[in-house]
Amino acid sequence: MILYSFRRCPYAMRARMALLDAGVCCELREVLLSAKPQAMLDASPKGTVPVLCLPDGRVLDESLDIMCRVAQEHRESLWWPGDLQMRKAMLALIGHNDHLFKYHLDRYKYPQRFGIEDTREYWLQGGGFLAGLEARLQRSPFLFGPEASLADVAIFPFVRQFAAVDRAAFDALPYPHLHRWLRDWLDSSLFASCMQRHVPWQPGDAPVYLC
Ligand SMILES: N[C@@H](CCC(=O)N[C@@H](CS)C(=O)NCC(=O)O)C(=O)O
């Protein structure tokens, strides 16, 4: 398997964390978004990372598809719950993250890209999503119960980005459970492994593995 990835991309991060956690070893090709390798574009012309090329020639070019496949095939219980209602609820929360929260995060983090002068509205809207996470984390250590799930790993990289825009403002939010949850993920060995630095891949390079 080959994974095209970009270290700082939150979508690529969650795919790498899922692969690492499941113990699935694959070749890791670090990509420069400004100079995407032709081999990656041949596999997935839409040109976003992550892209996972499977040995049978199939290509997964959506991070959630990569995570779901890994969770289904290599993990049990909460990662990919047998309970259909729980699975639907997890995918709904991830969908909310990927669409609404990401929308507000982008505008809060990069106001100049969107011609925005006052980011307060986006901070508040993003904060609304965080309040929902806090309510869940008050009830259990992870978003869907006592163990880490697909949803925790899918959402964590985006909360990390939101927190990093103005760390003091984030730390001042009255969300102690969310702060603990984020800190635990940031301190985890899984995150440390997924954030190792690699030089961008070029054809002919010796393979580097994500293991
Ligand atoms: N829906 C995609 C989104 C992936 C995505 O947007 N990745 C960004 C980097 S974080 C990207 O590759 N953008 C292309 C570019 O900047 O040229 C997924 O979940 O995999």
Side-chain angles (χ1 to χ4, degrees), residues 6 8-12 14 33-34 36 40 46-51 61-66 98 102 158 161:
F6 175 57
R8 289 189 291 115
C9 167
Y11 299 101
R14 68 190 190 179
L33 293 179
S34 55
K36 293 167 192 158
M40 176 184 129
K46 82 180 166 85
T48 61
V49 289
V51 175
D61 61 7
E62 282 293 322
S63 57
L64 194 52
D65 291 345
I66 297 172
D98 290 8
K102 177 73 165 86
F158 298 88
Q161 278 197 341

Side-chain angles (χ1 to χ4, degrees), residues 48-69:
T48 61
V49 289
V51 175
L52 185 68
C53 301
L54 301 174
D56 64 7
R58 277 180 301 151
V59 172
L60 300 180
D61 61 7
E62 282 293 322
S63 57
L64 194 52
D65 291 345
I66 297 172
M67 295 188 79
C68 288
R69 182 180 189 274

Side-chain angles (χ1 to χ4, degrees), residues 7-27:
R7 182 175 174 271
R8 289 189 291 115
C9 167
Y11 299 101
M13 246 176 239
R14 68 190 190 179
R16 294 197 304 273
M17 285 174 80
L19 287 159
L20 278 166
D21 189 59
V24 180
C25 191
C26 62
E27 184 182 338

